[in-house]
Amino acid sequence: MLPLSLLRAASGSPMLVELKGGDTYNGRLVNCDAWMNLNLRDVICTSKDGEKFWKLPECYIRGSAIKYLRLPDDAIDKVPEDDGSRHAAKRGKMEFTGRGGGRGGGRGGVGVEEVVEAGVVEEVEVVAKEEEEKAAEDMEQVINW
């Protein structure tokens, strides 16, 4: 479960937000965005030292200022199950075209498909395995020394 999907599912729920500066905000979550910026309604703000209180009809909290959030336990039950199909669809569309695929065409190079077709990946895996076995033998010699 991703934190943003939990926050989106908790829309309308009461929550406590503590800022890095120490102030706390208790209110109902209206919405949040991709940067974890929050809109709260019916808010009670408490100062860092806990001596001052403010009642606000609504407030906006920048996500980068948040230290932690406290949500009710039932907020987890509201999160829709993600079967990963949305992410798998994105992964299927990605294509590697080599280095410098942006403006200007880059400096050439070999794309991932060409490397895999040429068998280079298997060769690298074999070399890595040989190096790992050699390192294990060296370690064994050091232990027995």
Side-chain angles (χ1 to χ4, degrees), residues 78-145:
K78 296 178 184 178
V79 179
E81 291 295 323
D82 182 22
D83 60 358
S85 60
R86 192 173 70 172
H87 300 293
K90 285 184 180 179
R91 268 188 251 122
K93 292 180 182 179
M94 290 191 330
E95 294 182 17
F96 298 100
T97 57
R99 297 184 297 178
R103 292 182 62 176
R107 294 180 286 174
V110 179
V112 173
E113 293 87 9
E114 290 87 9
V115 171
V116 172
E117 288 174 12
V120 175
V121 173
E122 288 83 11
E123 291 175 21
V124 170
E125 290 172 353
V126 169
V127 170
K129 185 170 175 88
E130 290 172 355
E131 289 177 358
E132 185 178 305
E133 291 171 354
K134 175 74 171 126
E137 290 172 8
D138 292 345
M139 183 59 84
E140 189 174 321
Q141 288 176 356
V142 168
I143 292 172
N144 293 333
W145 184 64

Side-chain angles (χ1 to χ4, degrees), residues 42-113:
D42 302 325
V43 182
I44 296 177
C45 176
T46 308
S47 65
K48 179 180 180 178
D49 56 11
E51 294 182 4
K52 298 178 185 173
F53 301 91
W54 297 270
K55 185 169 173 117
L56 308 169
E58 58 186 26
C59 74
Y60 175 84
I61 299 173
R62 185 180 169 116
S64 63
I66 296 172
K67 183 177 183 180
Y68 77 87
L69 303 168
R70 182 176 291 170
L71 297 167
D73 292 335
D74 64 344
I76 293 175
D77 300 333
K78 296 178 184 178
V79 179
E81 291 295 323
D82 182 22
D83 60 358
S85 60
R86 192 173 70 172
H87 300 293
K90 285 184 180 179
R91 268 188 251 122
K93 292 180 182 179
M94 290 191 330
E95 294 182 17
F96 298 100
T97 57
R99 297 184 297 178
R103 292 182 62 176
R107 294 180 286 174
V110 179
V112 173
E113 293 87 9

